[in-house]
Amino acid sequence: MLKSNPAANFHIEEDCSLEDFAEITSSVLNEQSVPLSHDIRKNIPVYDIAQLGPSLSDGEARKELMSEWAKVLMSGPGVLVLKSACTDFQAIDDATDAYLRIIEDEKAGSGGAGDHFAAAGANDRIWNSLQKLCEQAPDTFLRYFASPAVDTVCEAWLGPNYQMTAQVNLVHPGGKAQQAHRDYHLGFQSAEISAHYPAHVHDLSPTLTLQGGIAHGAIPLESGPTKLLPFSQRYRPGYAAWRRDDFRAYFEDHHVQLPLEKGDAIFFNPALFHAAGENRSEDIHRMVNLLQVSSAFGRAMESIDRVKMCKLLYPAAKAASDSAILSGEALRAAVSAAAEGYSFPTNLDLDPPTGGLAPETQKALFLRALDEKVTEAEFDRQLDAQALRQRA
């Protein structure tokens, strides 16, 4: 029986119980609860996207799949793997080349970026890799994010109109592991600050964000794939507990790791205790594009110029749409990664609701322009006019 104090509406470090945490994280995944998975490895369900492909475009089948994924992330182990989530290996390779150029340019300019939970110099990090890839190679961005599987898992946890952000993490041989932690929002607050948020906000925080990663190459165990503690997201005071030495020691003794292949994706509840592993290999430079996806109702971590991204992406998207190079689902997935899918905040005097309760979103404008075969110049004009209405 878990200990509780009905009078307490706040979680503080001193009250956290390792015994309760151990009881929760000793759970075992029942295979009958994940009937659409193709394997269970170390308590983590694995889904073969090559076999599930038709389910991603069939309305009812897609809802069934999203329901299963949501349960896995909320009350199940809190993590799932999508095999072959991204099948365009050339797009992944092209993105890798672009990211390596960005890393070199940023090192030359400012010495490179730091990390949240690892020592400086242990890796190379690109903040806002989403916008930077779009600026450097819009056509690569389009093909890279044209993944119905990624779109579906994001919607399964966050609902439609999510906000994509991304940060590349390149860990070289010898790169040390991160410390166990939880993630954004409350995971990025100090223990003192998080203690001021009432318990129900601790429950709310994980539902505002989805953590994920796309493997840019093979990631065997010796290269240090993410360390994970299944079911740890279910421990309610976890945002108060994860900095404690006894919890971190328990994590190190009980975590699991799964190898990944190029194009595989892993997604997990941000309240899951996790940490990047140590790269013990001699020659593997482990690159993962870390996806941090936010609810339309929340605040994303990074400021992104989505108007600029849309302008850069539209010519490539229009060419793909006109020639039917990408399926409708794939094209919408790529647009969803770039464009703002929420109508608010806006100036309702200048930007009133159209045909409903909310004004047209940037994403809706983008997709409508593709359907109507709007020229690039006209699309830019409409985009700027929409942005001006929203800001004025």
Side-chain angles (χ1 to χ4, degrees):
M1 176 69 72
L2 298 181
K3 302 171 186 176
S4 64
N5 179 0
N9 193 39
F10 294 88
H11 296 311
I12 59 175
E13 223 173 357
E14 293 77 10
D15 290 343
C16 294
S17 166
L18 184 60
E19 180 183 355
D20 289 351
F21 187 68
E23 180 180 339
I24 289 172
T25 56
S26 297
S27 301
V28 176
L29 178 62
N30 183 343
E31 64 180 15
Q32 294 181 348
S33 68
V34 286
L36 299 177
S37 68
H38 297 89
D39 196 6
I40 296 175
R41 303 178 189 172
K42 301 178 182 179
N43 250 349
I44 298 172
V46 178
Y47 295 83
D48 187 343
I49 298 304
Q51 295 186 42
L52 287 175
S55 299
L56 302 176
S57 56
D58 180 284
E60 289 306 312
R62 186 171 185 264
K63 284 183 179 179
E64 183 180 357
L65 183 61
M66 288 197 295
S67 296
E68 181 168 313
W69 287 351
K71 291 176 183 176
V72 168
L73 294 167
M74 175 64 80
S75 57
V79 54
L80 53 85
V81 169
L82 307 182
K83 296 295 295 181
S84 301
C86 301
T87 56
D88 189 338
F89 284 3
Q90 188 59 57
I92 295 175
D93 291 343
D94 290 345
T96 296
D97 291 341
Y99 290 141
L100 292 175
R101 290 194 297 270
I102 291 168
I103 288 170
E104 290 307 311
D105 289 345
E106 292 186 347
K107 279 185 175 180
S110 62
D115 191 15
H116 293 300
F117 301 103
N123 59 7
D124 288 313
R125 173 80 75 158
I126 303 175
W127 300 120
N128 195 2
S129 60
L130 185 86
Q131 182 173 331
K132 290 171 183 175
L133 177 61
C134 189
E135 289 174 341
Q136 185 157 130
D139 56 333
T140 298
F141 180 101
L142 182 75
R143 291 181 289 118
Y144 182 86
F145 280 101
S147 169
V150 171
D151 178 59
T152 299
V153 71
C154 291
E155 190 170 331
W157 185 242
L158 301 168
N161 305 322
Y162 55 81
Q163 304 167 74
M164 180 72 72
T165 65
Q167 307 88 33
V168 162
N169 198 24
L170 174 59
V171 181
H172 303 288
K176 300 303 181 184
Q178 291 179 331
Q179 292 184 312
H181 59 279
R182 281 183 163 187
D183 261 325
Y184 189 73
H185 292 259
L186 281 181
F188 279 41
Q189 305 295 329
S190 68
E192 293 75 18
I193 291 176
S194 66
H196 286 287
Y197 285 91
H200 66 270
V201 176
H202 286 239
D203 296 337
L204 173 66
S205 183
T207 66
L208 296 174
T209 313
L210 178 65
Q211 301 297 131
I214 298 173
H216 276 236
I219 301 179
L221 292 178
E222 62 266 27
S223 70
T226 302
K227 299 188 289 186
L228 309 153
L229 186 57
F231 297 100
S232 57
Q233 86 286 355
R234 290 168 51 179
Y235 183 63
R236 291 188 65 205
Y239 287 108
W242 66 259
R243 298 169 183 82
R244 279 182 31 171
D245 290 340
D246 54 345
F247 277 78
R248 280 181 160 163
Y250 182 91
F251 172 87
E252 291 302 327
D253 290 340
H254 295 86
H255 73 265
V256 299
Q257 294 171 279
L258 291 184
L260 299 174
E261 299 296 329
K262 182 192 292 187
D264 290 352
I266 186 168
F267 285 91
F268 53 91
N269 184 315
L272 190 82
F273 279 50
H274 66 282
E278 180 178 357
N279 189 343
R280 296 186 174 91
S281 73
E282 295 183 357
D283 57 0
I284 300 172
H285 298 265
R286 188 183 83 232
M287 179 181 282
V288 178
N289 196 16
L290 305 176
L291 307 182
Q292 188 173 79
V293 197
S294 291
S295 163
F297 305 147
R299 295 189 181 191
M301 180 189 296
E302 295 180 310
S303 298
I304 294 178
D305 189 344
R306 295 191 185 275
V307 171
K308 180 179 182 180
M309 288 179 64
C310 286
K311 288 182 179 180
L312 290 168
L313 190 63
Y314 186 74
K318 187 174 186 300
S321 176
D322 291 346
S323 59
I325 292 175
L326 296 174
S327 70
E329 292 83 5
L331 194 58
R332 281 192 294 274
V335 173
S336 294
E340 173 58 62
Y342 200 48
S343 299
F344 307 108
T346 191
N347 185 325
L348 287 170
D349 286 324
L350 300 176
D351 191 30
T354 54
L357 298 175
E360 183 178 48
T361 66
Q362 189 181 76
K363 173 183 170 182
L365 190 160
F366 197 123
L367 295 174
R368 176 175 57 77
L370 290 179
D371 287 341
E372 297 175 359
K373 301 188 182 302
V374 168
T375 65
E376 294 171 26
E378 175 60 16
F379 174 72
D380 289 357
R381 187 196 68 76
Q382 291 187 26
L383 203 61
D384 287 337
Q386 182 189 60
L388 183 61
R389 291 194 302 271
Q390 292 171 340
R391 291 195 304 266

